[in-house]
Amino acid sequence: MVRSLDSVVKRERAEIGVLLTLTAPTRPMVTEAAAAGLHEMDGFAPVPRLQIVTIEEALLLHDRAVKLPARRDDAFKRAAREEAPARQGRLDL
């Protein structure tokens, strides 16, 4: 299954793949996932490219079960700065 996930990740040009399983991964599964390497992003710690997460880990750790790069601040366009900050609080009533 890990080999299949690896081929899908490569075909879809995804950065990370996660295999959610009911049972603990076997040693060959862990070896195959480790052979896929790490996903590296500038400014963040590298994370495994293929990750195997059990249902138990997902329920206990919630969003921390899958290791992802930290959130980036440049994902959304920033609003333009107010040029005259003194005008901002004025109400014309």
Side-chain angles (χ1 to χ4, degrees), residues 2-89:
V2 176
R3 229 175 281 135
S4 297
L5 177 62
D6 188 29
S7 64
V8 170
V9 167
K10 288 176 182 174
R11 184 186 72 219
E12 298 296 325
R13 294 186 178 101
E15 297 173 350
I16 295 173
V18 178
L19 176 66
L20 188 63
T21 179
L22 288 170
T23 59
T26 63
R27 186 175 302 252
M29 290 171 69
V30 173
T31 303
E32 189 77 31
L38 299 174
H39 168 65
E40 296 182 18
M41 185 180 262
D42 293 336
F44 300 107
V47 296
R49 190 171 209 53
L50 295 182
Q51 299 177 32
I52 303 171
V53 178
T54 64
I55 294 289
E56 184 178 359
E57 291 171 338
L59 291 174
L60 289 175
L61 300 175
H62 301 287
D63 58 341
R64 294 184 318 260
V66 177
K67 296 170 186 75
L68 297 173
R71 189 186 78 182
R72 295 184 64 125
D73 290 334
D74 61 351
F76 299 101
K77 186 176 177 183
R78 296 201 182 267
R81 277 192 93 81
E82 182 72 32
E83 291 186 24
R87 280 189 347 196
Q88 187 172 351

